[in-house]
Amino acid sequence: MNWTNFDKLNVYEALDSLTPADVKEAMAGESGAERVRSYQIPMGAGQTYCFAAKNVDDAILDVLQDLADEAELIDKYAALYNGEMINTGEKRLVLHQLCRGQLGKDVLYEGVNKREFYVSQQKRAAEFADKVHAGELVNEAGEPFTTAVQIGIGGSDLGPRALYIALENWAKVNGTLKMEAKFISNVDPDDASAVLAGVDVAHSLFVLVSKSGTTLETLTNESFVKDALSKAGLDPSKHMLAVTSETSPLANNPEYLDSFYMDDAIGGRYSSSSMVGGVILSLAFGPDVFARILAGAAEEDELSKNKDIRKNAALMDALIGVYERNFLGYNNTAVLPYSQALARFPAHLQQLDMESNGKSVNRFGEPVDYATGPVIFGEPGTNGQHSFYQLLHQGTDIVPLQFIGYKNNQMENDVVIQDSTSQQKLNANVAAQIMAFACGKDDDNRNKYFAGGRPSSIIVGNKLTPESLGALLAHFENKVMFQGFVWNLNSFDQEGVQLGKLLAKKVLAGDTDGALTEYSKLLGIF
Amino acid sequence: MNWTNFDKLNVYEALDSLTPADVKEAMAGESGAERVRSYQIPMGAGQTYCFAAKNVDDAILDVLQDLADEAELIDKYAALYNGEMINTGEKRLVLHQLCRGQLGKDVLYEGVNKREFYVSQQKRAAEFADKVHAGELVNEAGEPFTTAVQIGIGGSDLGPRALYIALENWAKVNGTLKMEAKFISNVDPDDASAVLAGVDVAHSLFVLVSKSGTTLETLTNESFVKDALSKAGLDPSKHMLAVTSETSPLANNPEYLDSFYMDDAIGGRYSSSSMVGGVILSLAFGPDVFARILAGAAEEDELSKNKDIRKNAALMDALIGVYERNFLGYNNTAVLPYSQALARFPAHLQQLDMESNGKSVNRFGEPVDYATGPVIFGEPGTNGQHSFYQLLHQGTDIVPLQFIGYKNNQMENDVVIQDSTSQQKLNANVAAQIMAFACGKDDDNRNKYFAGGRPSSIIVGNKLTPESLGALLAHFENKVMFQGFVWNLNSFDQEGVQLGKLLAKKVLAGDTDGALTEYSKLLGIF
């Protein structure tokens, strides 16, 4: 496999000498209409990725295809799903896609068929959830559980929480909201206190999620919850589940009703389709809905195997992002879902992308000479329009934009005002914004002048359902993976989070000096 | 007044020729400890701004003082609060500080003493809230109102929502949570549907907030709510209030129980301390708590008058930010509150900062040749540590960091695990992160190597209370104002949001062509 730094690839010079397409010019008139019609790629669950308003044209796409080919991006993806040790730093396989489907050959590791292992866990979680929903598994008083509370942080929180919020209202309308879900993540004691004050602990199941079983925040919050249960006269072991690795202290432990397993081949930020998301989502929505999320993701994973960038949305998205980052000098990406249900999806993507590719060394630990992962941020539209879009339209930096939209809303309620529904207004705004960013507007009053040339792409679906959500999740996971391959990074470790943890332990042990002592005093720690 | 472009000031060359302080070196050993002790500035409500870990030293601070003096930043602030027409583009005064205190001379405008006007509205809102809380103002069935729902978007949503979330748990513990507050903002019909499904409409008051009375999203959501009230057999006019300007169609309208007023001198993103925040927060927490927020802000506003940058936290914060943006080339700022209660405060600052200073023309409408407002993003710690901090520590770009922390948590519950409370763990992480970012760590394994030199500042308070929250709000408002003065921008208009609105109307009217037609089809609008 060709694990070469990006700037050492033959195609790098060709990329560097390209003239970017002029978005403002390209998107005007009939040529713009033709771009929208032709610059579309089908995604999983009937969604479409449209990149018409990006700084690319057919000549550039040809060079990006060369990049994909020379960097062997699809071969690397195949190596990953076929079980090669892609996470070299931590000496781990990378198998989150295998939670949702068999993309290649059987992956046998330490005597275990990994697909069978993941599927067996899904079945166990499904059976457990079914028992809870059927009232077969009840609390000490023989009463049903009504609420599921996830205790986890980072990947054990952001992805599952974003998915839960994305489908909560859909599930209410479709009669599949089996239990309400809540989330405790922060070590700030007020987080756990507030969540606990808002639930009926006697009828709550707590899902403790930590792969290692040693995450400081999560164990601290576990104690918080156990305290609350004990104070309410309840037996914590009748209210708590663990999601962890089989080798962790939480596994097979009588303190929990049951334990469900992921393994080292599932990175935190890629773990939503493992038991990390599976237990809480199966409890909340029923196992069938979780299976539908996985099916949507599996469909997208299959589409991501295509070597033709014009038929592979995740790959195209990745390559355009690299072009923007390394040759157009854009430092950020804004994720702008026109769907309130995706309110926390940008926060998940922020972790997924920035923790995977926010790195300065290649997969061999050698410094790289090019920019890697961008800063990701975003809020749902139309809210963002009334907030930070001012800078996006008229600021001095150009920020590439990732829109997401759906033809239909999730709940059945809508209202016609001035001859249009809210959903039509919502989508009219997406279309309008894309064009406003792309083409701008001349005005003699420079304060009302819009330069345009601000690139965007959009993912459009029929409706945000379990399948389309799963495909959306996989799209971005695969995009980030492909970009990591181009930049020759290990996108699956996160050494950058270690130093802070180490120093925090020193502070708590009173082992500080210099400025660390002064900051500790300032913060009233001692 | 010296309204000169930043790069035309005499001090610009001096700034450009400065050698930035080496954060890694400066923060090591005893010199670092001394910097933490001395690079502190008192803020309102007993808080402290510490900028020890920034790329500055005394020589640089002297030049930043020269910048403050030459750009007449404090004189411009005085002109603003004394009622000069600072928002020249829209020909408006800028008087949000006057909602919380009289900083200078009486502001008389069109025959009205503006301070008296704002105070009279506060009294009216207080009386109204008192009546609701006392059960004197009740629903049609004679039952008390228990929930207040704000309908607004942008500045009518983000600031008030961030403040409500910041004090909700504090109020619960202190017995001042009079009513639960909810917020409807997005034109996505699922936003209103979901909020309405979660409240008891018969016992809810709806606060419609729109200065002009013409905001599309807000009027649409009003209809949504009126529909729901009517369907529940309730009279909308007995459940709705308006917050608007006296000249809007919502003012003095029998469709509302009452109307409360702001005016054109209150910009949306600066409106939390006007009736935009005042009505909902007085209903939720009682008028006394809202008055305490204003008192904290007023204290900070007074401190912001100091011409000595070493004694003016908002001014120092602003100047360091300009230095980072224009001379160190940093494009973003991450806001990292170590307080779950401030979960949505970064979203408010994102609007405040990016909508105010994300501009390419000066206050006279002439293009500027320097970078202006940065991209702002953030999430609470420690959550962010398990998410995007990887990029902040080891990414290829440097992102300046704004930490916020409190010695004590808001709720009374905490737990000791391994000899420390959750609050101590939380704060140990802040201290540790600052030092990890500043000084990094050498390691032969480059994957575990931290370059350091990543600058941060921190605001520390005793506890997040109404007063400290008010001071925090005012700090950032004033920081953004000072930066706008340096960049010679009009920080109080937002022409960049207009074009999208205009095009959205065209789409809804079917008046499209070219790519706009194709996007409209793709999104299923017609």
Side-chain angles (χ1 to χ4, degrees):
Chain A
M1 204 75 71
N2 182 15
W3 296 112
T4 304
N5 275 10
F6 181 33
D7 56 353
K8 297 287 179 283
L9 295 174
N10 295 323
V11 74
Y12 191 87
E13 266 193 39
L15 282 162
D16 203 20
S17 62
L18 288 168
T19 302
D22 181 326
V23 167
K24 184 171 176 172
E25 193 183 294
M27 290 301 288
E30 185 46 37
S31 87
E34 176 51 31
R35 277 173 72 99
V36 180
R37 286 190 297 266
S38 61
Y39 280 4
Q40 290 190 12
I41 304 176
M43 290 174 51
Q47 294 171 108
T48 301
Y49 171 72
C50 176
F51 57 99
K54 287 289 195 183
N55 302 84
V56 296
D57 54 27
D58 287 330
I60 295 173
L61 294 181
D62 289 343
V63 182
L64 292 177
Q65 179 71 61
D66 292 344
L67 167 59
D69 295 340
E70 187 187 351
E72 301 177 321
L73 300 182
I74 298 302
D75 299 324
K76 286 171 183 166
Y77 177 33
L80 180 147
Y81 62 67
N82 283 321
E84 284 188 35
M85 199 170 284
I86 292 296
N87 179 352
T88 42
E90 300 179 309
K91 298 197 171 38
R92 291 175 177 175
L93 313 193
V94 177
L95 298 178
H96 50 276
Q97 284 104 342
L98 203 59
C99 292
R100 43 223 198 195
Q102 183 82 47
L103 287 163
K105 57 189 182 188
D106 281 352
V107 178
L108 300 166
Y109 187 73
E110 295 179 349
V112 177
N113 178 311
K114 285 296 184 179
R115 172 72 185 152
E116 285 173 12
F117 170 67
Y118 298 137
V119 170
S120 74
Q121 294 304 313
Q122 288 163 15
K123 281 190 186 148
R124 290 183 56 235
E127 284 162 17
F128 185 92
D130 284 342
K131 270 191 213 165
V132 173
H133 300 154
E136 291 166 30
L137 199 153
V138 290
N139 73 1
E140 300 98 313
E143 296 157 349
F145 291 107
T146 57
T147 305
V149 184
Q150 178 114 323
I151 307 171
I153 194 165
S156 301
D157 171 53
L158 293 166
R161 194 194 291 247
L163 300 186
Y164 175 75
I165 294 170
L167 292 179
E168 186 182 18
N169 292 320
W170 173 89
K172 277 183 191 164
V173 171
N174 288 274
T176 67
L177 188 69
K178 312 281 188 184
M179 299 171 77
E180 196 180 21
K182 300 275 185 183
F183 296 83
I184 297 173
S185 55
N186 203 331
V187 77
D188 179 344
D190 291 346
D191 187 18
S193 291
V195 172
L196 288 171
V199 301
D200 171 8
V201 289
H203 300 92
S204 295
L205 278 173
F206 295 88
V207 186
L208 187 75
V209 186
S210 169
K211 185 157 67 179
S212 65
T214 62
T215 312
L216 174 79
E217 284 89 342
T218 302
L219 296 185
T220 303
N221 280 322
E222 178 188 24
S223 299
F224 227 99
V225 167
K226 282 184 172 172
D227 249 29
L229 287 164
S230 300
K231 278 181 191 153
L234 301 162
D235 177 354
S237 72
K238 303 286 188 235
H239 288 263
M240 301 197 78
L241 315 176
V243 173
T244 189
S245 66
E246 286 177 292
T247 54
S248 109
L250 310 180
N252 247 323
N253 183 320
E255 287 190 42
Y256 307 101
L257 273 173
D258 207 340
S259 314
F260 301 92
Y261 303 117
M262 83 288 260
D263 59 23
D264 282 345
I266 306 295
R269 56 196 172 275
Y270 298 93
S271 67
S272 293
S273 40
S274 78
M275 286 297 96
V276 171
V279 172
I280 188 83
L281 296 174
S282 296
L283 286 169
F285 302 133
D288 289 352
V289 169
F290 182 60
R292 290 174 59 185
I293 296 173
L294 299 186
E299 192 188 341
E300 188 66 28
D301 289 338
E302 277 294 337
L303 293 171
S304 298
K305 291 160 82 171
N306 201 313
K307 289 205 171 186
D308 182 347
I309 68 167
R310 289 174 170 86
K311 293 179 179 163
N312 185 333
L315 184 57
M316 179 66 87
D317 198 356
L319 294 167
I320 293 174
V322 166
Y323 183 59
E324 290 175 331
R325 180 78 167 126
N326 297 105
F327 301 98
L328 304 181
Y330 302 155
N331 308 302
N332 301 316
T333 297
V335 180
L336 308 168
Y338 277 62
S339 163
Q340 191 62 26
L342 292 176
R344 291 300 287 169
F345 199 71
H348 166 62
L349 294 189
Q350 200 170 50
Q351 178 190 15
L352 176 68
D353 203 320
M354 293 172 71
E355 193 166 57
S356 295
N357 292 338
K359 291 169 185 168
S360 303
V361 297
N362 70 9
R363 53 190 300 110
F364 307 108
E366 299 153 355
V368 297
D369 294 326
Y370 40 81
T372 60
V375 166
I376 306 287
F377 71 98
E379 292 285 336
T382 57
N383 290 3
Q385 293 179 201
H386 293 259
S387 170
F388 53 86
Y389 278 34
Q390 165 67 41
L391 183 145
L392 302 182
H393 279 290
Q394 293 188 318
T396 49
D397 291 1
I398 288 181
V399 178
L401 312 168
Q402 174 65 69
F403 290 96
I404 301 171
Y406 295 93
K407 293 180 190 173
N408 300 291
N409 61 319
Q410 290 184 314
M411 300 176 85
E412 272 140 31
N413 207 7
D414 204 343
V415 63
V416 174
I417 313 273
Q418 292 172 9
D419 300 325
S420 61
T421 62
S422 287
Q423 185 66 23
Q424 285 173 316
K425 290 186 183 73
L426 181 68
N427 284 346
N429 275 281
V430 191
Q433 289 294 335
I434 293 174
M435 291 306 294
F437 282 117
C439 294
K441 178 172 83 72
D442 283 332
D443 201 305
D444 288 340
N445 179 345
R446 291 288 300 197
N447 201 19
K448 297 175 191 290
Y449 166 83
F450 293 77
R454 306 205 169 209
S456 67
S457 61
I458 183 166
I459 292 169
V460 179
N462 186 46
K463 187 194 272 199
L464 184 60
T465 61
E467 289 84 357
S468 53
L469 181 63
L472 197 67
L473 180 79
H475 172 86
F476 286 104
E477 287 180 1
N478 296 341
K479 171 191 168 180
V480 166
M481 170 189 73
F482 286 130
Q483 291 191 330
F485 289 155
V486 172
W487 287 319
N488 206 26
L489 307 175
N490 179 359
S491 302
F492 306 101
D493 66 359
Q494 56 283 323
E495 290 295 338
V497 308
Q498 298 304 329
L499 178 58
K501 282 189 204 175
L502 196 82
L503 291 179
K505 276 187 195 162
K506 281 196 169 189
V507 173
L508 291 170
D511 176 19
T512 66
D513 58 10
L516 190 53
T517 303
E518 295 301 322
Y519 278 119
S520 300
K521 280 188 212 163
L522 185 62
L523 283 152
I525 304 169
F526 49 72
Chain B
M1 202 77 71
N2 182 13
W3 296 112
T4 304
N5 274 11
F6 181 31
D7 56 353
K8 297 288 178 282
L9 295 174
N10 295 323
V11 74
Y12 190 87
E13 265 194 43
L15 283 162
D16 202 23
S17 62
L18 288 168
T19 303
D22 181 327
V23 167
K24 183 172 178 172
E25 194 183 294
M27 289 301 289
E30 185 45 38
S31 87
E34 176 51 31
R35 278 174 70 97
V36 179
R37 285 191 296 267
S38 61
Y39 280 4
Q40 289 189 13
I41 304 175
M43 290 173 51
Q47 296 173 106
T48 301
Y49 172 71
C50 176
F51 58 99
K54 286 288 193 182
N55 303 83
V56 296
D57 54 26
D58 287 330
I60 295 173
L61 295 182
D62 288 344
V63 182
L64 292 177
Q65 179 71 61
D66 292 342
L67 168 58
D69 295 341
E70 188 187 351
E72 302 177 322
L73 301 182
I74 299 300
D75 298 324
K76 287 171 183 167
Y77 176 33
L80 181 147
Y81 62 67
N82 283 321
E84 286 190 33
M85 199 172 283
I86 292 296
N87 179 353
T88 41
E90 299 180 311
K91 298 197 172 38
R92 291 176 177 175
L93 313 193
V94 177
L95 297 178
H96 50 277
Q97 285 103 343
L98 204 60
C99 292
R100 44 223 197 196
Q102 183 82 46
L103 288 162
K105 57 188 183 190
D106 282 352
V107 179
L108 299 167
Y109 187 74
E110 296 179 347
V112 177
N113 178 311
K114 285 296 184 178
R115 172 72 185 153
E116 285 173 13
F117 169 68
Y118 298 137
V119 170
S120 73
Q121 294 304 314
Q122 288 163 16
K123 282 192 185 145
R124 290 184 56 234
E127 283 162 16
F128 185 92
D130 284 341
K131 269 192 215 165
V132 172
H133 300 153
E136 290 166 31
L137 199 153
V138 291
N139 72 3
E140 299 97 311
E143 297 157 348
F145 292 107
T146 57
T147 306
V149 184
Q150 177 114 327
I151 307 170
I153 194 163
S156 301
D157 170 54
L158 292 165
R161 193 194 293 248
L163 299 186
Y164 174 75
I165 294 170
L167 292 180
E168 185 181 19
N169 293 319
W170 173 89
K172 277 182 192 165
V173 171
N174 287 274
T176 65
L177 188 69
K178 312 281 187 183
M179 298 172 78
E180 195 180 23
K182 301 276 184 182
F183 296 83
I184 297 173
S185 55
N186 203 331
V187 77
D188 179 345
D190 292 346
D191 188 17
S193 290
V195 172
L196 288 171
V199 301
D200 171 8
V201 289
H203 299 92
S204 295
L205 278 173
F206 295 87
V207 186
L208 188 74
V209 186
S210 170
K211 185 159 64 179
S212 64
T214 62
T215 313
L216 174 79
E217 285 89 341
T218 303
L219 295 186
T220 304
N221 281 321
E222 179 190 22
S223 298
F224 228 98
V225 167
K226 283 186 172 171
D227 247 31
L229 287 164
S230 299
K231 279 181 191 153
L234 301 162
D235 176 355
S237 72
K238 303 286 188 233
H239 288 262
M240 301 197 79
L241 315 177
V243 174
T244 190
S245 65
E246 287 178 290
T247 53
S248 107
L250 311 179
N252 246 322
N253 184 321
E255 289 189 40
Y256 307 102
L257 273 172
D258 207 341
S259 314
F260 301 92
Y261 303 116
M262 84 288 257
D263 59 22
D264 281 345
I266 307 295
R269 55 197 173 273
Y270 298 93
S271 67
S272 293
S273 39
S274 78
M275 285 298 96
V276 171
V279 172
I280 188 83
L281 297 173
S282 297
L283 287 169
F285 303 134
D288 289 353
V289 169
F290 182 60
R292 291 173 60 186
I293 296 173
L294 298 186
E299 191 187 342
E300 188 66 27
D301 289 338
E302 277 294 337
L303 293 170
S304 298
K305 292 160 81 171
N306 201 314
K307 289 206 171 185
D308 183 347
I309 68 167
R310 289 172 170 88
K311 292 178 180 163
N312 184 335
L315 184 57
M316 179 67 88
D317 198 354
L319 294 167
I320 293 174
V322 166
Y323 183 59
E324 290 175 332
R325 180 75 169 128
N326 297 105
F327 301 99
L328 304 180
Y330 303 155
N331 308 302
N332 300 314
T333 297
V335 180
L336 309 168
Y338 276 63
S339 163
Q340 190 63 26
L342 292 176
R344 291 299 288 168
F345 200 70
H348 165 62
L349 294 189
Q350 199 170 50
Q351 179 190 14
L352 177 67
D353 204 322
M354 293 172 72
E355 195 167 54
S356 294
N357 292 337
K359 293 172 184 166
S360 302
V361 297
N362 70 9
R363 55 190 299 108
F364 306 109
E366 300 153 354
V368 298
D369 292 327
Y370 40 82
T372 59
V375 166
I376 306 287
F377 70 99
E379 292 284 336
T382 57
N383 291 3
Q385 292 178 201
H386 294 259
S387 171
F388 54 85
Y389 278 33
Q390 164 68 40
L391 182 146
L392 303 182
H393 278 291
Q394 294 187 318
T396 49
D397 290 1
I398 289 183
V399 178
L401 312 167
Q402 173 64 69
F403 290 97
I404 302 169
Y406 294 93
K407 293 179 191 173
N408 301 292
N409 62 319
Q410 289 184 316
M411 299 177 85
E412 270 139 32
N413 207 8
D414 204 344
V415 62
V416 174
I417 313 273
Q418 294 173 8
D419 300 325
S420 61
T421 62
S422 287
Q423 186 66 25
Q424 285 173 316
K425 290 185 182 76
L426 181 69
N427 284 347
N429 275 282
V430 192
Q433 290 294 335
I434 293 174
M435 291 307 293
F437 281 116
C439 294
K441 180 173 81 73
D442 282 333
D443 201 306
D444 289 342
N445 180 345
R446 291 287 301 197
N447 200 19
K448 297 174 192 291
Y449 166 81
F450 292 77
R454 304 200 172 214
S456 68
S457 61
I458 183 166
I459 292 169
V460 179
N462 186 47
K463 187 193 272 199
L464 185 59
T465 61
E467 288 84 357
S468 53
L469 181 63
L472 196 68
L473 180 79
H475 172 86
F476 286 103
E477 288 180 359
N478 296 342
K479 171 191 168 180
V480 166
M481 170 190 71
F482 286 131
Q483 292 191 329
F485 289 155
V486 172
W487 288 319
N488 206 26
L489 307 175
N490 178 1
S491 302
F492 306 102
D493 67 358
Q494 54 283 323
E495 290 295 339
V497 309
Q498 297 305 330
L499 177 57
K501 283 189 204 176
L502 196 81
L503 291 179
K505 275 187 196 163
K506 282 195 171 191
V507 174
L508 291 170
D511 176 19
T512 65
D513 58 11
L516 190 54
T517 303
E518 296 301 321
Y519 278 119
S520 299
K521 280 188 212 164
L522 185 63
L523 283 152
I525 305 169
F526 49 72

